[in-house]
Amino acid sequence: MATTRKELRRQVGNALGALTLGTVQTASTATLTDPTLIDRATTETEYVRNFCLLASGAHAGQVRRVVSFDPDSGQLTMAREWGVPAYGDEYELHALVHPDVIHRAINSALGACTRIARATLSPILSGSREYELPSIISRPSQVVNVHWGYGEEPETREWPLAWYAITPNPDLILRLRLRPVAPSAADRLIVTYIAPYPPLETDEAECWCPAEWAVAGALVDVYAHIASRATSEDVRRYEKLQYKAAKTFRRLSLAHAPRPARRVQLPEEGL
């Protein structure tokens, strides 16, 4: 199931134990009031220094630091003015890190998580035996298989290619070279390859990476960020949490990551 960046951010925040969700009842140019905070707060400093992110509405994406909290009314006061949110807009309070740190960590994790992708190739020149591979393929081992595709939807067929070689051209861009063949003009060459998941640039952007895998990878980076800024007595604690997240990420990588292709490549002359 596809997961949005917003959902991944909230899962990371919950895993950190540092996320509070709510909806705006009233707001001004530098305040937000949510009566449900009255029941959740234990002291007047409960949410001070939290990062408040507006998660929906016309001003979604704005982030302000909380400088004071009134436990009697549930009012948060921000460090500076913002675009005033409306009644019912969602907000998030992140106690440990700025939401942008989590966004960068999510994209870093997605770059380390891999998937099977497909692309249709075109010859370098008309009638050429060489096809340029997608630039995202930097190693021959990323190529899982190559097929001839023929026919029109819904009656399409695919047939494994008998022989191919992957070689770099002078510009170090990988190319796929075939045995001499004479396909019809309607045929197409389809490559299946291993690729990282693309980054998520907006809250609505979705990816199909297993959420637990992406969250574990993001936590590795977030804990490293926190440890680099923590006091000396807290550094060791966050390093242990980072190590635990890294172990989880490696375990999930074994479960979810596709395996690189291993082929015995016979010389073309021997076929």
Side-chain angles (χ1 to χ4, degrees):
M1 185 176 69
T3 311
T4 64
R5 187 182 75 171
K6 182 178 181 179
E7 292 168 339
L8 289 175
R9 181 182 65 242
R10 291 182 173 183
Q11 288 189 41
V12 171
N14 282 326
L16 292 170
L19 175 66
T20 301
L21 303 177
T23 56
V24 177
Q25 184 178 78
T26 61
S28 69
T29 55
T31 65
L32 175 159
T33 301
D34 178 4
T36 64
L37 294 177
I38 300 171
D39 299 325
R40 286 183 270 179
T42 56
T43 68
E44 62 183 13
T45 61
E46 181 85 15
Y47 303 111
V48 173
R49 298 189 61 78
N50 279 212
F51 294 97
C52 181
L53 166 69
L54 296 182
S56 69
H59 302 290
Q62 287 189 114
V63 180
R64 296 292 186 268
R65 200 75 180 258
V66 177
V67 293
S68 67
F69 170 63
D70 180 1
D72 294 326
S73 65
Q75 179 175 282
L76 301 167
T77 302
M78 309 303 157
R80 57 192 176 93
E81 294 185 353
W82 59 5
V84 181
Y87 172 81
D89 285 354
E90 297 177 343
Y91 70 88
E92 301 171 9
L93 296 174
H94 293 267
L96 291 179
V97 294
H98 193 288
D100 285 348
V101 172
I102 299 178
H103 295 158
R104 289 193 294 270
I106 289 171
N107 285 339
S108 176
L110 291 176
C113 299
T114 52
R115 61 196 168 98
I116 293 294
R118 288 162 57 93
T120 301
L121 306 182
S122 299
I124 304 297
L125 299 171
S126 179
S128 171
R129 296 172 54 199
E130 289 194 338
Y131 291 71
E132 191 166 296
L133 292 167
S135 59
I136 198 171
I137 300 178
S138 58
R139 303 181 308 278
S141 62
Q142 286 179 254
V143 176
V144 176
N145 220 328
V146 183
H147 289 76
W148 282 119
Y150 58 94
E152 301 295 333
E153 294 286 355
E155 299 296 328
T156 57
R157 297 287 187 276
E158 293 184 10
W159 193 261
L161 201 63
W163 186 95
Y164 62 89
I166 300 171
T167 56
N169 70 359
D171 298 325
L172 300 180
I173 298 175
L174 294 182
R175 288 182 175 178
L176 185 143
R177 183 165 56 87
L178 313 181
R179 293 179 64 191
V181 291
S184 71
D187 288 348
R188 56 197 176 277
L189 201 61
I190 302 168
V191 61
T192 304
Y193 60 96
I194 296 173
Y197 285 91
L200 303 176
E201 303 300 340
T202 66
D203 272 10
E204 294 73 28
E206 296 180 332
C207 76
W208 288 89
C209 180
E212 61 174 356
W213 192 16
V215 169
L219 285 172
V220 175
D221 279 10
V222 172
Y223 282 130
H225 175 87
I226 298 171
S228 69
R229 291 158 174 77
T231 58
S232 56
E233 58 268 23
D234 288 334
V235 169
R236 184 60 178 160
R237 177 164 64 93
Y238 286 115
E239 287 178 343
K240 287 182 178 179
L241 290 170
Q242 182 189 10
Y243 176 73
K244 182 178 178 181
K247 283 184 62 177
T248 302
F249 181 72
R250 287 193 295 271
R251 174 177 58 79
L252 292 172
S253 295
L254 290 174
H256 296 297
R259 300 293 183 266
R262 290 183 173 86
R263 297 186 301 118
V264 176
Q265 183 67 64
L266 299 174
E268 184 177 4
E269 293 75 15
L271 299 176

